Each structure stands twice: as C-alpha cells, then as structure tokens.
Amino acid sequence: MLRFIVLLTLIIALIGCNDEDGCISTPDISNVDVDVDFERLELELFELTTLEEVLNFFNDYQAFTNFFIDSYEYPSDTILANRTLKMVSNPYIRDTIYAETLQTFGDLDELKNEFKKSFQLIKYYYPEFEAPKIQTAVTGFYKDLYLSDSLLILGLDHYLGKEGTFQPRDIPQYILDRYEPENLVPMVIYFLSDRFNNVGRKGTLLSDMISFGKAYYFTKQMSPCSSDAMIVGYSEDVMNDVNANREIIWANFIQNELLYETNHEIKVKFIGERPKIPEIGERCPGRIAGWLGYEIVKAYMENSDVTLQELMKETDAVKIFMQSKYKPRNR
C-alpha cells in the first residue's frame, strides 16, 4: 500500500511538471556539481560618485570595461569614465531604468537558480563544460550581453520587457519583443549551444535550417521549462499562428524547392531577421526556416535512436531530414 502511494505521488508530480508547467523530462542532475559565480556590477557601478572611483572600477573589472562598454573606442579611459559618471548620475537612468531593473530581477535568486539548472544539464551531457562567471550590469541600454568561454556579462536593463518605462531605440520592435525577463536564460543557452553544435559544411537552406534546429533543440534540453515560443523567439500568439499553419508553410518550401536553395539572397529571406515573410504570407514571421529546422530536428530525435551528443555532432543535414520522416500537421 505504501509503495502504491509513493508511485501515485510520483506520477502526479511528473504529470504536474510535464503537463501543467510545460516542462520536458530531464535526467537526474542532483549530483552534478556546478558553481555559479555571480557578480552584480550594477550595485557597485551606481554607487560611484567621482572620476577616480570610476577609473578604479574599470581597473577592477577590465573585461567589462574592454568588452562590454568598449573602452577601445575611446582615446582614453578618462573620457569613458566621464561618460560613465554622467550615465550613473542621469536621473532617467538611475531613478527609472536602474530602479526598474532592481525591482524586476530582485536579488537574482530566481535567475541564479535557472542558470544553475541549465549549467548542470549541460555538464551532465558534457562533463568537460565549465560554467562561465556571470556579471550583471545596467548601462542605459548600451549592450545586452557578452559571452566568452569563461565570462558572461548581462545587461539586465535590456530585459525589462514591455513593463519597462523605456526601451532601447536601436532595436526593431519585432526583435525587442523577445527581450522579456523570462527569455534571458534560454537566449543565453542558445548562444552557448554554438560550442557544441558541429554544423559542418553550409551551402543549402536545408543545412542552415538544421543548424538552427539543433541549436533550438539543445536550448530546449538545457532550459526544459521554456516554451518553444521562448526558444525560437516568437510571441505565444505568433507561435500559435505558426503551428496552426504549419502545413501551408511546409507546402511553400516544397512547392518552391527551397530546401536545396543555395542562393544567399533567397536563403536570407527565410532564415534571416525580418518582421514578416510576405513570400509565404503577410502573417508569416521572420526566421521561419529556423523554426522549421527545429521541427525537423524534433521529428528526427523522435524517430531515431541517437543521443543529444550524437545529434550535435551530426553534420549531415540531408540524413537528419530524411530520417526525421517529417510530415507536418496543423495544430
């Protein structure tokens, strides 16, 4: 009887996770040791009041200074320091953007936990993986993120989303719509996937599609509770619309023989950043070929006995496509 109760409890927990929360099942990572090192530079940055303090800050955080606020673009650190001092004392930035960032992200505990789980999953599949140090900052929308092998810098003010009073002016709205707080971790994991994604020789639109599809699939495995809309960077409404018209989208690719297209100008219409793709329909979002590649990769993993690591190593896009047996059905 006790065993039945335990099993029933486990089943209910699994149903709650997979059905209600939209999370996919993941391996046990409780014994995967990952140290997530966070440094909140914005807290120190907005306490600076003198030029000397700013220059000392630059010296203490040289990677941030060189790669995030691009010190090499200035004739001297003093010029950049003066500009930084004006930024942190600007009431529009200090009292609005900075204040709203603190309110939105709080003590960062939730963000830290999300990154830790994602990094644990990556290390589970790739034991050699070392989690990068994470620094957070607020720079008045100067830069959204910087990523190297050992360091990740996050411009948290870029991720205030629709609730933010101000938004970056140099980013088109259809791209800016992705910059919601909940999209931050999957966005970073997507960029991290490049380390593990052996894309092989590019040439056809299909090969580009599969490369994007593998990156999205990797992101989903490492950010298991993120929706496909978050993974691909569409709004939920746009994703629902795409799912409802997947047969039409696929028919367009087949009828126009796009899969093996090699002309760059044609390929970029379907794989590149655009608000819409009128060649398919006025409501078809940009980057639709990447989403389609994700669908093909998901079908491939469902119909093939391969591991995630084997998928990421695979460079034969035609093999993935043929073995996927992809047959779209509108939802």
Side-chain angles (χ1 to χ4, degrees):
M1 180 66 178
L2 179 60
R3 182 185 177 194
F4 173 78
I5 293 174
V6 172
L7 287 173
L8 180 60
T9 302
L10 178 60
I11 291 171
I12 292 173
L14 288 173
I15 290 174
C17 178
N18 291 331
D19 292 343
E20 293 178 9
D21 297 333
C23 303
I24 61 172
S25 60
T26 59
D28 181 11
I29 56 174
S30 57
N31 293 322
V32 178
D33 186 25
V34 170
D35 182 27
V36 182
D37 184 7
F38 260 80
E39 288 184 330
R40 299 198 63 177
L41 303 193
E42 71 275 9
L43 299 183
E44 187 172 343
L45 186 61
F46 279 82
E47 290 296 319
L48 304 177
T49 58
T50 69
L51 189 63
E52 183 180 1
E53 289 176 345
V54 176
L55 290 171
N56 288 335
F57 178 88
F58 288 170
N59 186 60
D60 291 339
Y61 303 105
Q62 294 184 10
F64 168 82
T65 305
N66 294 335
F67 304 121
F68 200 75
I69 57 175
D70 300 329
S71 62
Y72 60 85
E73 294 186 357
Y74 295 83
S76 71
D77 284 349
T78 302
I79 295 175
L80 176 58
N82 273 310
R83 186 166 185 174
T84 301
L85 200 56
K86 290 180 181 179
M87 186 273 294
V88 299
S89 59
N90 184 321
Y92 291 104
I93 296 176
R94 171 182 288 277
D95 300 335
T96 304
I97 297 174
Y98 176 56
E100 289 179 359
T101 300
L102 296 180
Q103 182 177 10
T104 298
F105 289 97
D107 56 12
L108 297 189
D109 280 351
E110 184 176 348
L111 191 63
K112 292 176 185 177
N113 288 334
E114 285 187 58
F115 271 115
K116 182 173 183 178
K117 290 177 183 177
S118 291
F119 289 164
Q120 283 179 298
L121 284 165
I122 296 176
K123 197 169 184 65
Y124 174 88
Y125 290 105
Y126 297 93
E128 71 279 8
F129 171 73
E130 294 295 333
K133 174 187 285 188
I134 300 176
Q135 294 178 336
T136 60
V138 173
T139 58
F141 304 128
Y142 184 76
K143 190 175 290 184
D144 56 349
L145 65 85
Y146 165 82
L147 177 63
S148 70
D149 288 343
S150 59
L151 179 64
L152 168 63
I153 307 178
L154 302 172
L156 294 181
D157 43 333
H158 269 83
Y159 298 89
L160 295 177
K162 298 179 181 64
E163 300 302 318
T165 301
F166 301 110
Q167 294 183 332
R169 295 180 179 179
D170 57 343
I171 301 177
Q173 189 61 47
Y174 71 94
I175 295 178
L176 196 58
D177 288 342
R178 304 171 205 164
Y179 283 81
E180 295 291 328
E182 62 270 19
N183 291 354
L184 196 160
V185 174
M187 188 180 292
V188 170
I189 300 304
Y190 171 81
F191 288 117
L192 269 173
S193 72
D194 189 57
R195 301 183 189 180
F196 312 99
N197 193 357
N198 191 350
V199 299
R201 182 179 178 183
K202 292 189 175 183
T204 65
L205 180 58
L206 177 64
S207 66
D208 291 340
M209 290 164 58
I210 297 302
S211 295
F212 277 97
K214 289 165 62 182
Y216 291 142
Y217 188 86
F218 178 94
T219 304
K220 180 66 175 181
Q221 305 312 302
M222 307 309 164
S223 186
C225 292
S226 295
S227 68
D228 280 353
M230 293 181 190
I231 300 296
V232 179
Y234 289 157
S235 70
E236 291 293 343
D237 288 341
V238 168
M239 181 59 77
N240 291 336
D241 204 24
V242 167
N243 284 329
N245 292 280
R246 60 179 64 222
E247 289 183 22
I248 297 174
I249 295 168
W250 179 244
N252 187 283
F253 274 73
I254 297 303
Q255 291 169 7
N256 291 291
E257 301 180 344
L258 292 173
L259 294 183
Y260 298 101
E261 180 61 64
T262 59
N263 184 292
H264 176 73
E265 292 184 1
I266 295 177
K267 289 196 301 177
V268 77
K269 290 181 179 180
F270 301 93
I271 206 80
E273 289 285 6
R274 300 173 73 187
K276 301 292 181 183
I277 304 181
E279 290 85 354
I280 294 179
E282 288 301 320
R283 295 174 61 183
C284 182
R287 302 177 297 111
I288 198 65
W291 166 81
L292 195 52
Y294 182 32
E295 292 291 293
I296 292 171
V297 168
K298 285 193 288 185
Y300 171 71
M301 294 303 286
E302 291 173 359
N303 290 298
S304 304
D305 186 21
V306 299
T307 65
L308 174 68
Q309 297 94 322
E310 290 170 336
L311 166 70
M312 300 306 286
K313 285 182 179 179
E314 182 59 67
T315 60
D316 192 337
V318 175
K319 173 185 174 181
I320 291 176
F321 170 57
M322 297 302 292
Q323 293 188 7
S324 73
K325 303 176 184 178
Y326 180 65
K327 294 181 180 178
R329 294 288 184 271
N330 291 345
R331 292 180 184 174

